Structures are given as structure tokens and as C-alpha cells.
Amino acid sequence: MLAQRKESEWENVQALPKKNKIRKTVKQRRQEKNLNNALRTRCMILFAITTIMAVFFILRSGVAASEAYQLNQMKRQATVLETENSRLHLEIAHLKSPERIQQIAQQELGMILPDKFFFSNTSN
């Protein structure tokens, strides 16, 4: 019996702190609820800030890629225009050549080169 009594006393001793741990005051529950709400709010704010920053960086990189594409397009267009400009300069030089002008004058207009050239000095 003595052994039984010690065991039952021991159970009562162990049961008391458990009851105290389980039982929380209304004030403690409110504090825990406030802490949980504060933590939840902070997590939501952190998530919102992270999301906004991610969207900002994605949009920024998209704009940069778009501008790079436009720049490459303009470079290609400039190269094409420079090539066309060079071709036109060569065509102008060909059209201005004295040999070509002489050939057109003789063949198409029927002009001939004179045998003698006379120069007049009219400067006084």
C-alpha cells in the first residue's frame, strides 16, 4: 500500500504542472493571438514587397531586352543605308565620268570631236 500511495502522489505531482501548462489565461491567449497576427502581417508585407520587387525587375529586364532589339534593328538599318549610300556614290561617279559623257555625245547625239582647238584669251 505504501508503494501505491507514493505512485499516486507522484501522479498527482506530475498532473498539476500539466494542468497549469494547459490552462492559459485569457490574457495570454490574446497576447499569443496578437503575436500571431503581427507575425502574419509582417509575413504578408514581406511577401508583398518581394513580389513587387520581382515584378519590377522582370519589367525592367523586359524593357531592356526590347530596347536592345530596337537598337540591333537600327544598326542593321544603318548598315543597309550606308551600303546603299556607297552604291549611289559609285553610280554618281560613273555617271559623271568624262568618258561616258563623250561616248553619249558621240553615239546618241551625233557630236564629233573637232580637229583643232582654239582658245581665246579675253581677260584684260
Side-chain angles (χ1 to χ4, degrees), residues 114-122:
D115 294 333
K116 295 182 182 177
F117 293 96
F118 294 101
F119 293 101
S120 147
N121 190 359
T122 58

PDB file of all heavy atoms in Angstrom, residues 114-122:
ATOM      1  N   PRO A 114      36.341  68.107-132.585  1.00  0.00           N
ATOM      2  CA  PRO A 114      36.980  68.958-133.600  1.00  0.00           C
ATOM      3  C   PRO A 114      38.449  68.579-133.767  1.00  0.00           C
ATOM      4  O   PRO A 114      39.081  68.060-132.850  1.00  0.00           O
ATOM      5  CB  PRO A 114      36.817  70.368-133.056  1.00  0.00           C
ATOM      6  CG  PRO A 114      36.609  70.202-131.595  1.00  0.00           C
ATOM      7  CD  PRO A 114      35.990  68.860-131.413  1.00  0.00           C
ATOM      8  N   ASP A 115      38.965  68.863-134.974  1.00  0.00           N
ATOM      9  CA  ASP A 115      40.373  68.567-135.242  1.00  0.00           C
ATOM     10  C   ASP A 115      41.296  69.553-134.539  1.00  0.00           C
ATOM     11  O   ASP A 115      42.355  69.179-134.057  1.00  0.00           O
ATOM     12  CB  ASP A 115      40.642  68.601-136.744  1.00  0.00           C
ATOM     13  CG  ASP A 115      39.916  67.479-137.454  1.00  0.00           C
ATOM     14  OD1 ASP A 115      39.675  66.442-136.803  1.00  0.00           O
ATOM     15  OD2 ASP A 115      39.588  67.639-138.631  1.00  0.00           O
ATOM     16  N   LYS A 116      40.883  70.803-134.510  1.00  0.00           N
ATOM     17  CA  LYS A 116      41.714  71.842-133.895  1.00  0.00           C
ATOM     18  C   LYS A 116      40.926  72.519-132.778  1.00  0.00           C
ATOM     19  O   LYS A 116      39.727  72.697-132.875  1.00  0.00           O
ATOM     20  CB  LYS A 116      42.116  72.886-134.938  1.00  0.00           C
ATOM     21  CG  LYS A 116      42.993  72.332-136.012  1.00  0.00           C
ATOM     22  CD  LYS A 116      43.371  73.429-136.965  1.00  0.00           C
ATOM     23  CE  LYS A 116      44.226  72.874-138.081  1.00  0.00           C
ATOM     24  NZ  LYS A 116      44.575  73.859-139.064  1.00  0.00           N
ATOM     25  N   PHE A 117      41.666  72.907-131.766  1.00  0.00           N
ATOM     26  CA  PHE A 117      41.058  73.617-130.645  1.00  0.00           C
ATOM     27  C   PHE A 117      41.602  75.041-130.637  1.00  0.00           C
ATOM     28  O   PHE A 117      42.799  75.253-130.807  1.00  0.00           O
ATOM     29  CB  PHE A 117      41.424  72.943-129.308  1.00  0.00           C
ATOM     30  CG  PHE A 117      40.833  71.571-129.153  1.00  0.00           C
ATOM     31  CD1 PHE A 117      41.558  70.427-129.462  1.00  0.00           C
ATOM     32  CD2 PHE A 117      39.551  71.426-128.667  1.00  0.00           C
ATOM     33  CE1 PHE A 117      41.018  69.179-129.307  1.00  0.00           C
ATOM     34  CE2 PHE A 117      39.010  70.158-128.509  1.00  0.00           C
ATOM     35  CZ  PHE A 117      39.737  69.029-128.832  1.00  0.00           C
ATOM     36  N   PHE A 118      40.722  75.995-130.454  1.00  0.00           N
ATOM     37  CA  PHE A 118      41.138  77.393-130.367  1.00  0.00           C
ATOM     38  C   PHE A 118      40.758  77.907-128.985  1.00  0.00           C
ATOM     39  O   PHE A 118      39.623  77.726-128.541  1.00  0.00           O
ATOM     40  CB  PHE A 118      40.437  78.247-131.449  1.00  0.00           C
ATOM     41  CG  PHE A 118      40.865  77.882-132.835  1.00  0.00           C
ATOM     42  CD1 PHE A 118      40.050  77.087-133.625  1.00  0.00           C
ATOM     43  CD2 PHE A 118      42.070  78.323-133.350  1.00  0.00           C
ATOM     44  CE1 PHE A 118      40.428  76.753-134.894  1.00  0.00           C
ATOM     45  CE2 PHE A 118      42.431  77.980-134.620  1.00  0.00           C
ATOM     46  CZ  PHE A 118      41.614  77.198-135.404  1.00  0.00           C
ATOM     47  N   PHE A 119      41.704  78.560-128.379  1.00  0.00           N
ATOM     48  CA  PHE A 119      41.454  79.152-127.080  1.00  0.00           C
ATOM     49  C   PHE A 119      41.544  80.660-127.207  1.00  0.00           C
ATOM     50  O   PHE A 119      42.438  81.185-127.856  1.00  0.00           O
ATOM     51  CB  PHE A 119      42.487  78.669-126.053  1.00  0.00           C
ATOM     52  CG  PHE A 119      42.367  77.215-125.742  1.00  0.00           C
ATOM     53  CD1 PHE A 119      43.228  76.294-126.325  1.00  0.00           C
ATOM     54  CD2 PHE A 119      41.402  76.752-124.876  1.00  0.00           C
ATOM     55  CE1 PHE A 119      43.129  74.949-126.038  1.00  0.00           C
ATOM     56  CE2 PHE A 119      41.290  75.411-124.591  1.00  0.00           C
ATOM     57  CZ  PHE A 119      42.157  74.511-125.171  1.00  0.00           C
ATOM     58  N   SER A 120      40.621  81.271-126.611  1.00  0.00           N
ATOM     59  CA  SER A 120      40.608  82.718-126.666  1.00  0.00           C
ATOM     60  C   SER A 120      40.937  83.264-125.296  1.00  0.00           C
ATOM     61  O   SER A 120      40.399  82.821-124.296  1.00  0.00           O
ATOM     62  CB  SER A 120      39.231  83.168-127.134  1.00  0.00           C
ATOM     63  OG  SER A 120      38.875  84.367-126.568  1.00  0.00           O
ATOM     64  N   ASN A 121      41.804  84.232-125.280  1.00  0.00           N
ATOM     65  CA  ASN A 121      42.169  84.842-124.017  1.00  0.00           C
ATOM     66  C   ASN A 121      41.484  86.195-123.965  1.00  0.00           C
ATOM     67  O   ASN A 121      41.933  87.145-124.554  1.00  0.00           O
ATOM     68  CB  ASN A 121      43.692  84.995-123.926  1.00  0.00           C
ATOM     69  CG  ASN A 121      44.104  85.410-122.527  1.00  0.00           C
ATOM     70  OD1 ASN A 121      43.283  85.601-121.649  1.00  0.00           O
ATOM     71  ND2 ASN A 121      45.411  85.524-122.347  1.00  0.00           N
ATOM     72  N   THR A 122      40.403  86.273-123.261  1.00  0.00           N
ATOM     73  CA  THR A 122      39.633  87.502-123.204  1.00  0.00           C
ATOM     74  C   THR A 122      39.839  88.245-121.907  1.00  0.00           C
ATOM     75  O   THR A 122      39.157  89.215-121.631  1.00  0.00           O
ATOM     76  CB  THR A 122      38.130  87.182-123.354  1.00  0.00           C
ATOM     77  OG1 THR A 122      37.763  86.298-122.344  1.00  0.00           O
ATOM     78  CG2 THR A 122      37.828  86.669-124.730  1.00  0.00           C
TER      79      THR A 122
END
